[in-house]
Amino acid sequence: YTVCLAAGNVDQRTVFYQVTWYTKYMTIQNRVTIDVNGSMSILESRQLLMEVFEVLPFGVWIMDAQGIIIYGNPEGKRIWAGARYVGPDQFGEYRGWWYDSGKLIEAHEWAGARAVQKGETSVNEKIKIQCFDGSLRVILNSAMPIYDEQKKIAGAIIVNDDITDMDAAQQQLVEKNSELESLNNIMVNRELRIAELKEEIRKLRGDSMSNGS
C-alpha cells in the first residue's frame, strides 16, 4: 500500500514524502525543497512519517550515515524483544543465522550494514534470529540505503517481517508429508511382499502337484 504525506506549496515550500510498501518490500522516496523559514514544516512532515511507522505491521529500523540505529518502531521492538541502538561494529549484538546454511551472520553481513557501507539493497533475506529475551524467531530481512540530495548515503532503512508462525506451519506440513511418504513406502513394500509371498505359495503348490502326479 502507499502512504503519502505532504505539506503543500506555502511560500515556495514543498515537503513531500512517499512511502510505498510492496509485498515484503519497501521503497522510500522523498523530495524536499524548503526555504530558511520552513524548518517547522519539514519537522512536522517527519513527525507524520514517524507516526505512520509506529502503526505498521512490519518492524522498521532507521540508521544514520554512520550506520548507527537511531529508530525502531514498536513492531520491530516486539520482534526482537527490545532494541540495541548500536553501529555496524556492534551489530553482533543482534544474533542471527542464515536460514538455509545455519551460518552465523557476522556484523558486516547484516543487510543494514551492507546498505550503509556498500549501498546494497537486500530483499527478503530469510534468517533465524535470537531475540534479546533468548527466544528464536524467523524473519524476512530487507534493507535499502537512503541518499541525500548529493547522492551520498545518508542512512538506511531496514524492514523485518516476522514469519515465525508461517515457518512453523510449513515445517509441520513438511513433517506430515514426510510421515505420509514413509507410510506410503511401508504400504507399498507390504504389498510387494504380499505379492512375493503369493508367488512363492503358487510355486510351492505347483511343485506339490507335480510331485503328486
Side-chain angles (χ1 to χ4, degrees):
Y1 49 89
T2 300
V3 179
C4 294
L5 307 175
N9 295 324
V10 180
D11 299 329
Q12 296 183 342
R13 294 175 298 184
T14 303
V15 179
F16 175 83
Y17 283 85
Q18 178 172 309
V19 183
T20 304
W21 295 82
Y22 298 98
T23 304
K24 315 300 184 188
Y25 180 62
M26 182 184 69
T27 63
I28 286 190
Q29 301 171 334
N30 64 71
R31 182 181 74 251
V32 178
T33 55
I34 193 165
D35 63 12
V36 293
N37 297 317
S39 59
M40 183 59 68
S41 293
I42 191 170
L43 288 175
E44 289 174 352
S45 182
R46 286 176 176 171
Q47 180 60 35
L48 287 173
L49 189 61
M50 291 300 102
E51 289 176 2
V52 171
F53 286 160
E54 289 288 300
V55 298
L56 288 175
F58 302 96
V60 177
W61 304 88
I62 297 177
M63 304 167 64
D64 65 15
Q66 287 70 47
I68 298 173
I69 299 172
I70 58 174
Y71 170 81
N73 75 343
E75 179 63 10
K77 295 173 185 176
R78 182 198 68 80
I79 291 172
W80 283 91
R84 299 288 187 275
Y85 297 99
V86 296
D89 292 341
Q90 298 170 290
F91 278 1
E93 293 187 25
Y94 286 83
R95 292 181 58 79
W97 297 263
W98 298 110
Y99 188 88
D100 292 332
S101 68
K103 181 180 177 294
L104 179 70
I105 302 174
E106 303 293 339
H108 67 279
E109 294 180 316
W110 283 96
R114 297 186 342 252
V116 169
Q117 296 170 353
K118 300 179 180 180
E120 291 185 11
T121 294
S122 306
V123 181
N124 292 344
E125 295 180 342
K126 191 175 182 180
I127 60 178
K128 180 178 289 186
I129 64 172
Q130 182 179 50
C131 308
F132 296 122
D133 62 358
S135 61
L136 298 175
R137 290 185 177 277
V138 178
I139 66 172
L140 296 178
N141 191 45
S142 302
M144 62 173 291
I146 300 173
Y147 294 91
D148 60 20
E149 293 180 351
Q150 284 73 45
K151 305 300 182 182
K152 294 181 179 180
I153 296 176
I157 187 160
I158 304 164
V159 176
N160 298 156
D161 186 8
D162 184 2
I163 60 168
T164 304
D165 292 340
M166 182 187 301
D167 182 72
Q170 290 175 342
Q171 291 300 318
Q172 289 178 358
L173 183 59
V174 169
E175 292 173 2
K176 291 296 183 184
N177 286 338
S178 179
E179 291 175 1
L180 289 173
E181 185 176 353
S182 297
L183 181 60
N184 182 64
N185 290 335
I186 291 172
M187 295 300 293
V188 169
N189 291 334
R190 177 175 176 274
E191 292 299 324
L192 288 174
R193 182 54 181 158
I194 290 173
E196 290 173 354
L197 289 173
K198 286 180 177 179
E199 181 62 19
E200 291 176 6
I201 292 171
R202 186 188 66 78
K203 288 181 179 179
L204 288 173
R205 285 179 176 175
D207 293 341
S208 296
M209 293 178 64
S210 297
N211 293 332
S213 62

